[in-house]
Amino acid sequence: MSSRTGIPAELLSAFSSDMEAEGFEIENASFGSENFTGCILRSSAIRSSDMSAVSFRGGAFTDVVFDGVDLSGADFSECLLSNVSFISSKLTGIHLSGCRIRRVRMENCICRYSSFDESSMMDSLFISSDFTASSFSGMKVSASAIEKSVLSSVSFIRTSLIGLSLADSSIDGIALSEDLSEIQGAKLDINQAVTLIRGKGADIRA
């Protein structure tokens, strides 16, 4: 049985009847692993709440702020995220595969073991966040930036990083194709570049 508390009854009613809700300010709520598959939320803010393991698979979020929210293990697969902010939130193990990510800001978040596989990302910024051991495989990325973040042991296989600067992020142990094609056109500092080439067996000498 779910243990949901602090969720406005009007929100639950809107989701159950129309599968759409708009204009909510929610704080200190527990969503109790609820299933809101396919639901749409617009022009709302959720703060200091527990949404761990909740499912919005196939839904949409437009003009929504998540601030200090625990989204660990949540399923946002195949969602549309448009003008959404994740601030100081916990996204460990979140499923964001197959998403359309548009004008999304992710700042000061813990996103370890998360999945962005096969998503498309445009006009977005990921900054000062920890993506250790996450997967960004098969993504399409345009007009976006990843800054001052931990990308250790992240998989970028089949994801072109052209135009992205990773110079101020930690990228030790990242997974790339054998030909390193993913980082063609990406900006790295000299130490990052040498480490990647050595990782492919090159003998680099001063």
Side-chain angles (χ1 to χ4, degrees):
M1 174 178 286
S2 65
S3 55
R4 61 190 186 199
T5 57
I7 308 174
E10 296 87 349
L11 176 68
L12 296 175
S13 177
F15 279 161
S16 63
S17 58
D18 301 326
M19 296 185 70
E20 298 186 17
E22 183 173 0
F24 284 89
E25 295 278 340
I26 301 169
E27 191 166 0
N28 298 318
S30 174
F31 283 71
S33 306
E34 285 293 331
N35 188 340
F36 299 113
T37 297
C39 288
I40 298 170
L41 183 63
R42 301 187 184 94
S43 303
S44 298
I46 302 175
R47 298 184 173 90
S48 304
S49 295
D50 183 358
M51 297 182 71
S52 56
V54 72
S55 176
F56 275 93
R57 185 182 182 91
F61 296 85
T62 303
D63 301 315
V64 174
V65 175
F66 296 94
D67 186 354
V69 177
D70 186 353
L71 286 156
S72 301
D75 188 357
F76 282 22
S77 301
E78 301 175 9
C79 280
L80 167 65
L81 304 177
S82 179
N83 197 30
V84 174
S85 295
F86 297 91
I87 308 298
S88 301
S89 293
K90 185 177 181 181
L91 284 69
T92 303
I94 193 172
H95 301 278
L96 289 160
S97 55
C99 285
R100 289 173 290 160
I101 300 170
R102 305 289 184 268
R103 299 180 301 282
V104 169
R105 184 180 183 90
M106 200 171 284
E107 183 173 4
N108 293 322
C109 291
I110 303 298
C111 311
R112 298 171 184 169
Y113 308 104
S114 55
S115 173
F116 295 81
D117 293 349
E118 309 299 332
S119 291
S120 61
M121 184 168 76
M122 181 183 296
D123 297 325
S124 297
L125 172 63
F126 292 175
I127 184 169
S128 301
S129 295
D130 184 352
F131 297 95
T132 299
S134 294
S135 182
F136 290 74
S137 296
M139 284 187 71
K140 295 180 180 178
V141 181
S142 61
S144 297
I146 302 175
E147 301 177 358
K148 300 177 182 177
S149 293
V150 179
L151 302 171
S152 302
S153 302
V154 165
S155 173
F156 285 114
I157 293 174
R158 296 182 294 105
T159 296
S160 173
L161 301 176
I162 187 169
L164 283 178
S165 176
L166 304 180
D168 58 3
S169 294
S170 171
I171 63 169
D172 53 295
I174 63 171
L176 303 168
S177 300
E178 282 299 315
D179 60 3
L180 304 180
S181 58
E182 292 86 359
I183 59 169
Q184 292 181 13
K187 298 177 182 178
L188 308 174
D189 72 22
I190 187 63
N191 292 324
Q192 290 173 327
V194 168
T195 298
L196 286 175
I197 295 171
R198 279 179 172 158
K200 293 300 180 181
D203 183 5
I204 300 175
R205 303 181 183 182

